[in-house]
Amino acid sequence: MTPTQASSHWDIFCTVVDNYGDIGVTWRLAQQLAGEYRISVNLWVDDLHSFSHILPQLDPGLSSQTFAGVTIFKWNTPLDIGFTPGAVLIESFACELPEKIKAQLLAQHQSAEQAPPLWLNLEYLSAEDWVDNCHGLPSLQASGLKKFFYFPGFTPKTGGLICEKNLLTQRAEWQSCADNRLGLFAELGLTGIAPQDKVISVFSYETRALAALCQLWQVSMPRVHALIPKGRSLNSLTQLLPCPIADLVPGQRIVHGNLTLHILPMTDQQAFDRLLWSCDFNIVRGEDSFLRAQWAAKPFIWHIYPQEDDYHLVKLEAFMSLYCDNLTPEIAKPWAELNLAFNQEQQSAVNLHWQELDSVDLPLLQHAQQWPIDALNDADLASRLVQFVKNS
Amino acid sequence: MKTAHEIRPGNVIMLDGSPWVVQKTETTRSGRNAAIVKLKLKNLLLDSGTETTFKGEDKLEDIILERLDCTYSYFADPMYVFMDAEYNQYDVEAENLGDAAAFIVDGMEETCQVTFYNEKAISVELPTTIVREVTYTEPSARGDTSGKVMKPATITGGGTVTVADFVKVGDKIEIDTRTGEFKKRV
């Protein structure tokens, strides 16, 4: 007898580690699979409170609820909701599945009647060369079950990058109308921004480099508006704040010379995308906002998640090398050095390279506009993932 | 049980009821300090090979097979020949040595462990650290003494190791055979 699949749905498991990063990626993927591929998706999340920051309609008190065609389950330990294996099971970012579920998979594997779901570990995004050789490899479990490592990446040999089907068109349409930008700022309660001002979104980890840039921006022309949500970036700017971070309110403006700090309200993912599209420059962190800044087609600094032994710098260099591949050294050098200095908290270097970028503003912007097309390599992550599942 | 991170070439692990000899290990770093370990394996029952990946902390069942302390004698393509204290010789396929082959040189004195399965020598484990002489490397470019700037170096036997910038031709260096990484100058 040929084993059959009990259900065609997909399950995605996610543990929230960095508030908005892991859940940001998995939520986007779940929505895309449901919306574009009509796949029934269950998303299991261990921290609905953090999730609710990027999906404000979510009720953290409910054990299950549905948005955008995705059923969201509260993943408690031990698991207190019945799990029905479907066609695909994704553990995102190497999160550990509940033992109860692994036992169910094994029982299916040993049964002649039902095939277990295709089990995938969705890994972190990296531009390093080794990803090409590890993407899609099986992970043979002692029990005989097989799991596959799925690596997002920038080359055709990898699992691709998360990018919704119409995203780049929507972004281009948005950016073609100058009123959209000021309209969004007004909608977010950000006041005093003139059309000719430079607007920079800031979503970084703590770093002294940000404080140095803010000092520079206080005396720069044109005027700079730094849009910063309450969170880790502000920990580096306490000297510029009139009150403790907890007392800051969204929409609040803090003026220092030619620099205005604006406290951003929390937004959902769509509004965050539009914010990145609307700024002249974006400082982003981690994985989700890093990728969205690339799709925004604007110059950016990537504040990468710090790792032991400065290994994050290897990952940063790998990405910068790809990003700068067809850029002339005059453009690539200051941009790469700016990113490196920011990540190494080198205050004078970050200011120096920021000023050097002034002379290459336009070609860097042109490169940022071409980059999303080059980076996608004709296929985004969801379409490659669906194909991978079909071929497995 | 060992974690995937602790597995090294020459180990034999049980997967789905079959013994597999580890021919090559490659550890890389994923996000948030998590290790990814890629293994090249050979199934000892079917004589077939595969590549597989694990999280660094995944637990793997390593099986203890008969082992003998041996020293390297000579290479008779495609077999490396090792000898025990009683002068018995054992042939090990070059393919089964994986990256360890780069550290095997004529006249080496280190004691290796030859592993047997069904009375056949199937793999060799080198000591965790070995010392080799640098036969070629570029001179230090920047006079760096921190050990953070790295460069390639050729060692006795022709293998290549990434070493600290301050290492010179003729220096003896300690190498971790599990990872192939330079540890220090001795």
Side-chain angles (χ1 to χ4, degrees):
Chain A
M1 186 165 61
T2 308
T4 56
Q5 216 84 54
S7 166
S8 60
H9 76 267
W10 290 27
D11 289 285
I12 304 177
F13 284 79
C14 174
T15 51
V16 176
V17 179
D18 185 23
N19 287 333
Y20 319 118
D22 314 67
I23 186 59
V25 171
T26 45
W27 174 228
R28 286 188 200 278
L29 176 62
Q31 288 177 93
Q32 197 183 355
L33 290 169
E36 294 178 19
Y37 295 90
R38 303 288 164 217
I39 293 168
S40 173
V41 180
N42 295 332
L43 178 58
W44 303 74
V45 183
D46 69 341
D47 177 1
L48 294 186
H49 182 73
S50 290
F51 190 4
S52 69
H53 288 134
I54 56 171
L55 178 59
Q57 310 94 305
L58 190 76
D59 180 348
L62 294 177
S63 56
S64 88
Q65 51 208 303
T66 301
F67 294 98
V70 177
T71 305
I72 297 163
F73 289 110
K74 171 81 174 79
W75 173 9
N76 286 323
T77 304
L79 196 66
D80 52 7
I81 300 174
F83 172 77
T84 306
V88 177
L89 191 161
I90 299 173
E91 50 180 46
S92 51
F93 306 114
C95 70
E96 196 63 33
L97 289 181
E99 288 303 323
K100 189 176 162 185
I101 291 182
K102 285 199 254 184
Q104 275 181 268
L105 298 184
L106 183 58
Q108 273 188 304
H109 174 65
Q110 291 166 343
S111 141
E113 292 166 11
Q114 268 187 10
L118 183 69
W119 183 9
L120 303 169
N121 169 29
L122 175 65
E123 269 293 337
Y124 292 94
L125 171 62
S126 173
E128 293 163 285
D129 292 343
W130 60 262
V131 172
D132 278 3
N133 300 322
C134 285
H135 169 62
L137 283 183
S139 180
L140 307 173
Q141 305 295 294
S143 59
L145 280 166
K146 202 183 272 186
K147 175 165 68 174
F148 291 88
F149 274 54
Y150 194 94
F151 284 91
F154 294 87
T155 72
K157 286 185 179 174
T158 67
L161 302 164
I162 292 182
C163 182
E164 297 79 2
K165 196 174 169 187
N166 298 319
L167 184 79
L168 301 186
T169 309
Q170 288 168 2
R171 185 258 297 154
E173 283 172 5
W174 175 272
Q175 289 175 338
S176 68
C177 177
D179 290 346
N180 284 335
R181 160 183 156 108
L182 292 178
L184 176 73
F185 296 153
E187 212 175 282
L188 294 172
L190 311 175
T191 56
I193 301 175
Q196 71 277 12
D197 291 348
K198 186 160 195 152
V199 184
I200 300 167
S201 77
V202 181
F203 185 59
S204 69
Y205 304 112
E206 293 82 357
T207 170
R208 290 189 298 273
L210 182 59
L213 281 176
C214 282
Q215 274 197 329
L216 180 70
W217 294 339
Q218 289 176 38
V219 292
S220 71
M221 283 297 287
R223 297 178 64 86
V224 169
H225 297 267
L227 317 184
I228 314 179
K230 281 174 82 169
R232 296 180 64 176
S233 305
L234 286 173
N235 292 337
S236 304
L237 302 177
T238 48
Q239 288 181 324
L240 296 177
L241 305 177
C243 59
I245 294 170
D247 296 340
L248 294 169
V249 291
Q252 189 168 344
R253 290 195 308 157
I254 304 138
V255 180
H256 291 276
N258 280 353
L259 167 67
T260 305
L261 303 177
H262 296 258
I263 305 303
L264 268 176
M266 277 306 297
T267 60
D268 61 16
Q269 289 182 317
Q270 286 70 31
F272 183 68
D273 280 342
R274 290 196 292 271
L275 178 76
L276 297 176
W277 302 347
S278 302
C279 290
D280 300 294
F281 195 100
N282 297 302
I283 299 177
V284 289
R285 75 185 197 203
E287 181 165 329
D288 185 51
S289 58
F290 163 55
L291 198 52
R292 305 315 281 194
Q294 291 171 61
W295 301 155
K298 295 291 180 73
F300 63 94
I301 289 174
W302 179 25
H303 197 190
I304 186 169
Y305 188 87
Q307 294 206 32
E308 288 165 8
D309 306 324
D310 283 343
Y311 191 78
H312 55 289
L313 298 181
V314 175
K315 291 180 177 290
L316 176 66
E317 294 275 9
F319 171 71
M320 293 195 304
S321 168
L322 269 186
Y323 191 77
C324 296
D325 189 36
N326 56 358
L327 273 179
T328 62
E330 295 76 40
I331 306 164
K333 195 164 174 280
W335 179 80
E337 287 182 338
L338 173 69
N339 272 270
L340 200 56
F342 192 90
N343 278 279
Q344 293 182 306
E345 302 196 57
Q346 295 170 343
Q347 293 185 291
S348 52
V350 84
N351 282 358
L352 172 72
H353 300 308
W354 178 268
Q355 289 168 299
E356 287 172 350
L357 272 194
D358 273 350
S359 60
V360 294
D361 256 359
L362 187 59
L364 186 60
L365 178 61
Q366 287 166 341
H367 177 67
Q369 288 165 343
Q370 178 60 33
W371 171 253
I373 298 151
D374 297 343
L376 275 173
N377 278 305
D378 295 330
D380 66 285
L381 186 142
S383 63
R384 292 192 204 188
L385 178 59
V386 168
Q387 196 57 47
F388 184 87
V389 170
K390 274 185 191 164
N391 295 344
S392 297
Chain B
M1 298 288 262
K2 281 182 176 172
T3 64
H5 197 54
E6 292 167 332
I7 293 291
R8 47 189 290 198
N11 285 166
V12 177
I13 57 175
M14 286 299 286
L15 293 172
D16 198 16
S18 290
W20 300 75
V21 61
V22 178
Q23 295 182 320
K24 187 174 180 178
T25 65
E26 196 179 322
T27 301
T28 48
R29 204 88 72 84
S30 181
R32 300 213 178 94
N33 297 310
I36 302 279
V37 180
K38 181 179 169 189
L39 301 180
K40 187 179 176 195
L41 303 174
K42 185 174 175 184
N43 188 313
L44 291 173
L45 300 180
L46 305 173
D47 209 31
S48 61
T50 191
E51 285 188 323
T52 180
T53 45
F54 293 97
K55 300 177 197 170
E57 71 275 18
D58 279 349
K59 296 269 197 313
L60 299 174
E61 184 189 351
D62 64 318
I63 51 176
I64 308 301
L65 299 173
E66 187 193 347
R67 290 173 183 224
L68 269 182
D69 283 349
C70 293
T71 52
Y72 172 61
S73 286
Y74 59 93
F75 180 60
D77 199 3
M79 310 298 262
Y80 282 87
V81 182
F82 291 80
M83 191 165 61
D84 67 13
E86 291 164 5
Y87 304 105
N88 297 308
Q89 291 193 336
Y90 307 103
D91 298 349
V92 184
E93 286 177 43
E95 191 189 22
N96 284 2
L97 267 70
D99 289 345
F103 303 118
I104 291 181
V105 293
D106 288 339
M108 66 186 273
E109 292 173 357
E110 288 99 343
T111 300
C112 308
Q113 285 203 309
V114 174
T115 304
F116 295 84
Y117 182 73
N118 284 347
E119 298 180 358
K120 184 185 170 195
I122 54 156
S123 69
V124 174
E125 262 188 61
L126 298 181
T128 304
T129 55
I130 55 165
V131 174
R132 292 287 178 271
E133 186 175 323
V134 173
T135 56
Y136 180 75
T137 188
E138 294 289 336
S140 170
R142 303 175 217 176
D144 179 82
T145 55
S146 67
K148 287 187 175 172
V149 179
M150 308 297 278
K151 63 180 181 181
T154 308
I155 56 170
T156 320
T160 304
V161 176
T162 301
V163 299
D165 192 48
F166 56 74
V167 171
K168 303 187 296 291
V169 172
D171 281 350
K172 293 198 168 163
I173 58 168
E174 200 171 283
I175 301 161
D176 187 327
T177 59
R178 293 167 299 182
T179 58
E181 286 174 357
F182 163 78
K183 289 182 79 177
K184 63 181 180 185
R185 184 167 57 183
V186 294

